[in-house]
Amino acid sequence: MSLRGLARLFGMSAHSGLVDYERGLRIPPINIMHAYGRVFVGEHAYLMRLRRAAMVERAANLVAARGTASPVEIR
């Protein structure tokens, strides 16, 4: 399936956002994660774990850059 086709399934006007998600440049919002779960049946839990790990990593990087206290665990 092409990214353009996937974007159409998700109701997106362009596929560029999906490209950014695949490259790790952006973390997809929760509604896109649910759309992925509908298309890729059986992979939803795995994809949500990846998203959660990316959110934790991003928070840790922000904390390290600011030199502040540890981030709160994201659930």
Side-chain angles (χ1 to χ4, degrees):
M1 173 179 296
S2 71
L3 286 178
R4 284 185 173 91
L6 193 59
R8 280 192 294 275
L9 282 175
F10 291 176
M12 299 170 73
S13 59
H15 71 288
S16 59
L18 298 179
V19 171
D20 288 349
Y21 305 147
E22 286 194 356
R23 288 182 167 176
L25 300 175
R26 293 176 43 202
I27 298 172
I30 199 73
N31 64 321
I32 296 295
M33 295 303 297
H34 291 306
Y36 271 111
R38 286 190 300 274
V39 172
F40 301 105
V41 177
E43 298 296 323
H44 190 257
Y46 171 70
L47 293 171
M48 292 302 287
R49 284 193 305 271
L50 285 177
R51 182 181 187 274
R52 186 175 302 117
M55 296 289 287
V56 168
E57 181 180 340
R58 181 172 68 179
N61 289 340
L62 287 172
V63 167
R66 292 182 182 155
T68 57
S70 307
V72 175
E73 180 181 334
I74 299 172
R75 296 177 188 223

